[in-house]
């Protein structure tokens, strides 16, 4: 989107306080997301079976492929809502939310119908053992019923993030994930439902979050909920919504392919390596959701600056979110190195998994630092809706991962697989950074 330099500017200041006012509440909410996966792994880990842990790993990974491939609903909604906020267009703010919710419901119902048909093929492609695949199928077929709620939550969270309502987003995330944790522990250990219990807990939590989130939206809008149909289905606005989300969809699919390939290559080694790698990926997810708090601030403030047509605020957003992102990334890496062995022991009782997780802990601990630029600049690009660049960079970074692991694994084994992941994260951040000056020049010219 090209913006005239003198047209409808709406100046505002970006300060450390403003950045942290968005990032801190979102961080507090977002760090509960990987805690759900950690609890799933820890609860199943108490059963002492590497196969069941591997089943949870593959089942949740495949669900994340499906759900997160539609994460464009969250990201596109955030960017477009923030830009409407910056422009002072309240009708567009509501229209973006309604379009996202309509698409979320349609895609969620389609996935429930199609999902069971492709599940056997997907499990076969992952290459796990029969015992792992049996557990994964049980988990996945139940969790598919959460899809309409999961996608609806993407739309709701995206809208709240775009408006800068980080505290409400935090409260909703904490509610959803607290319910998930409580029900998972009860269903698995209390009712002895195994992997099915973990799946049932997730479905229930997603449903509760959706209905509470809709209530939050209704309370925010109150009497101002209407959108004229010509505005809701405005041809150019709808086309832009779909174009942005299509690029982000491709970007998400390419990135998810990378993480799925990581899981599949882990599974093709041994069940113990699969379990250890997926346990360590919880470290990466934990660090990632921490960094996502800063990325959310970058999305909201960057998008608002674009909508306001105010370059100084955009440049200040890039600078401050990078400073805070680097500080968090370095701190998280150090914490993981120091506390990693203790956390590993708390998450599993399987001796082989504990031993292997310690061997590869160094790689997992590096991920927050190496991923800082990728997360922070992703937030900038989401807010600016520079979706085509995000798409192209993701394709490039995934190609780097494929080449590095292909060359390194025959010589370094599982270390080569982790090296490929590090190169993937670094390639994303470096590429987005190199392209930023040109995109800014085009947008604010």
């Amino acid at each position: 989107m090209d913006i005239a330099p003198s047209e409808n500017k709406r100046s505002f200041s970006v300060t450390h306080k403003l950045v942290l006012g968005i990032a801190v509440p979102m961080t507090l909410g977002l760090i509960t997301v990987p805690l759900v996966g950690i609890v799933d792994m820890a609860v199943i880990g108490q059963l002492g079976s590497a196969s069941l842990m591997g089943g949870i790993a593959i089942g949740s990974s495949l669900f994340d492929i499906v759900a997160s491939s539609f994460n464009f609903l969250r990201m596109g909604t955030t960017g477009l809502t923030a830009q409407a906020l910056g422009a002072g267009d309240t009708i567009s703010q509501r229209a973006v939310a309604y379009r996202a919710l309509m698409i979320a419901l349609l895609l969620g119902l389609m996935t429930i119908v199609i999902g069971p048909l492709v599940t056997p093929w997907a499990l076969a492609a992952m290459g796990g053992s029969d015992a792992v695949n049996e557990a994964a199928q049980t988990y996945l077929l139940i969790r598919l019923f959460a899809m309409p709620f999961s996608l609806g939550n993407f739309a709701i969270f995206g809208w709240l993030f775009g408006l800068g309502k980080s505290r409400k987003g935090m409260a909703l995330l904490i509610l959803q994930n607290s319910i998930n944790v409580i029900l998972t522990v009860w269903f698995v250990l209390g009712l002895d439902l195994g992997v099915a219990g973990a799946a049932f807990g997730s479905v229930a939590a997603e449903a509760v979050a959706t209905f509470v989130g809709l209530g939050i939206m209704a309370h925010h809008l109150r009497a101002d909920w209407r959108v004229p149909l010509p505005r809701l289905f405005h041809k150019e606005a709808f086309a832009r919504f779909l174009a942005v989300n299509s690029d982000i969809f491709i970007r998400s699919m390419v990135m998810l392919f990378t993480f799925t390939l990581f899981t599949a290559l882990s599974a093709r080694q041994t069940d113990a390596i699969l379990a250890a790698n997926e346990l360590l990926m919880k470290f990466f997810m934990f660090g990632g959701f921490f960094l996502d708090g800063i990325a959310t601030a970058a999305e909201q403030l960057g998008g608002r600056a674009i909508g306001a047509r105010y370059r100084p605020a955009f440049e200040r957003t890039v600078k401050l979110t990078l400073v805070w992102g680097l500080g968090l990334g370095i701190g998280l890496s150090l914490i993981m190195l120091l506390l990693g062995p203790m956390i590993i022991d708390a998450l599993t009782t399987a001796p082989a998994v504990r031993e292997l997780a310690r061997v590869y802990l160094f790689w997992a601990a590096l991920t927050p630092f190496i991923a800082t630029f990728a997360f922070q600049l992703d937030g900038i690009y989401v807010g600016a809706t520079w979706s085509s660049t995000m798409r192209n960079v993701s394709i490039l970074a995934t190609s780097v991962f494929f080449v590095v692991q292909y060359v390194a694994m025959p010589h370094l084994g599982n270390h080569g697989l982790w090296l490929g992941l590090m190169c993937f994260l670094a390639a994303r951040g470096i590429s987005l950074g190199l392209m930023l000056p040109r995109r800014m020049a085009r947008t604010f010219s």
Side-chain angles (χ1 to χ4, degrees):
M1 180 174 66
D2 294 333
I3 298 174
S6 60
E7 185 180 342
N8 297 326
K9 287 185 178 179
R10 298 167 59 90
S11 63
F12 67 99
S13 298
V14 177
T15 64
H16 289 282
K17 182 178 179 180
L18 186 58
V19 169
L20 294 179
I22 297 172
V24 171
M26 283 315 307
T27 298
L28 294 176
L30 287 167
I31 59 176
T32 66
V33 177
L35 287 177
V36 173
I38 291 171
V39 169
D40 282 353
M41 186 70 73
V43 170
I44 296 299
Q46 300 311 305
L47 303 180
S49 169
S51 296
L52 290 181
M53 291 181 67
I56 283 284
I58 287 183
S60 60
S61 177
L62 287 173
F63 180 83
D64 289 343
I65 292 171
V66 179
S68 298
S69 64
F70 299 128
N71 196 34
F72 61 80
L73 286 168
R74 206 282 297 165
M75 303 175 89
T77 301
T78 296
L80 294 172
T81 301
Q83 290 180 21
L85 176 67
D89 188 344
T90 56
I91 293 178
S92 288
Q93 294 169 29
R94 299 193 291 272
V96 170
Y98 297 161
R99 291 178 194 126
L101 286 169
M102 287 188 293
I103 293 174
L105 178 60
L106 176 62
L107 292 176
L109 294 176
M110 288 175 58
T111 305
I112 289 177
V113 174
I114 298 172
L117 302 177
V118 301
T119 294
W121 172 84
L123 291 174
M126 294 298 287
S129 66
D130 290 342
V132 166
N133 285 346
E134 181 180 358
Q137 179 166 318
T138 298
Y139 180 87
L140 187 60
L141 291 180
I142 295 171
R143 277 212 71 184
L144 283 174
F145 285 94
M147 282 301 300
F149 304 115
S150 297
L151 302 188
N153 289 334
F154 283 159
I156 293 167
F157 285 127
W159 190 71
L160 291 174
F161 296 166
L163 293 177
K165 304 294 181 180
S166 55
R167 287 184 174 84
K168 291 181 179 179
M170 173 193 70
L172 190 57
L173 278 168
I174 292 175
L175 173 67
Q176 174 185 330
N177 295 315
S178 297
I179 292 173
N180 199 336
V181 167
I182 292 169
L183 291 181
T184 295
V185 173
W186 180 34
F187 290 161
V188 175
L189 299 181
L191 301 181
D192 196 25
L193 295 179
V195 294
F200 282 127
S202 297
V203 174
E206 293 274 12
V208 171
T210 298
F211 290 115
V212 173
L214 291 173
I216 291 173
M217 290 181 66
H219 181 266
H220 176 80
L221 294 173
R222 295 175 183 161
D224 297 326
W225 59 271
R226 297 175 182 82
V227 175
L229 288 180
R231 286 291 298 273
L232 181 61
F233 295 102
H234 187 272
K235 183 177 179 181
E236 291 183 4
F238 221 112
R240 184 178 178 227
F241 183 87
L242 294 175
V244 168
N245 286 323
S246 295
D247 286 334
I248 298 177
F249 170 76
I250 296 171
R251 169 258 187 201
S252 298
M253 287 296 292
V254 170
M255 289 183 60
L256 282 167
F257 170 78
T258 302
F259 292 111
T260 304
L261 181 59
F262 181 93
T263 300
L265 291 171
S266 300
R268 293 176 191 276
Q269 296 178 77
T270 67
D271 285 356
I273 286 181
L274 169 63
N277 280 356
E278 289 305 308
L279 187 151
L280 291 173
M281 284 298 286
K282 303 304 180 187
F283 284 64
F284 169 62
M285 290 176 62
F286 187 82
F289 281 107
F290 238 108
L291 294 173
D292 257 338
I294 297 297
T296 300
E299 292 174 20
Q300 202 278 331
L301 296 173
R304 182 179 170 188
I306 292 285
R309 308 173 189 273
Y310 192 54
R311 180 167 182 162
F314 188 87
E315 293 176 340
R316 183 72 170 166
T317 296
V318 173
K319 179 180 178 180
L320 294 189
T321 54
L322 178 58
V323 168
W324 284 105
L326 278 173
L328 271 176
I330 294 170
L332 287 167
S333 289
L334 292 175
I335 290 171
M336 290 180 185
L337 281 173
L338 292 173
L339 302 182
M342 181 178 67
I343 296 172
I344 290 168
D345 288 346
L347 293 181
T348 180
T349 59
V353 177
R354 283 180 171 181
E355 181 180 353
L356 285 169
R358 278 181 166 81
V359 171
Y360 304 112
L361 172 62
F362 176 76
W363 293 108
L366 281 179
T367 55
F369 170 66
I370 293 178
T372 295
F373 289 96
F375 277 80
Q376 180 257 349
L377 290 174
D378 233 23
I380 293 294
Y381 278 67
V382 167
T385 59
W386 294 336
S387 53
S388 61
T389 302
M390 295 170 64
R391 176 199 65 205
N392 296 340
V393 165
S394 295
I395 293 172
L396 171 65
T398 294
S399 300
V400 169
F401 169 79
F402 185 84
V403 171
V404 172
Q405 66 80 23
Y406 182 81
V407 172
M409 282 192 73
H411 305 287
L412 301 176
N414 199 46
H415 287 289
L417 180 58
W418 279 98
L419 176 62
L421 183 63
M422 298 302 109
C423 292
F424 164 77
L425 296 172
R428 283 183 60 216
I430 292 170
S431 299
L432 291 172
L434 291 175
M435 295 179 182
L436 181 61
R438 184 170 60 182
R439 290 307 313 239
M440 288 177 59
R442 287 180 54 192
T443 298
F444 291 101
S445 62

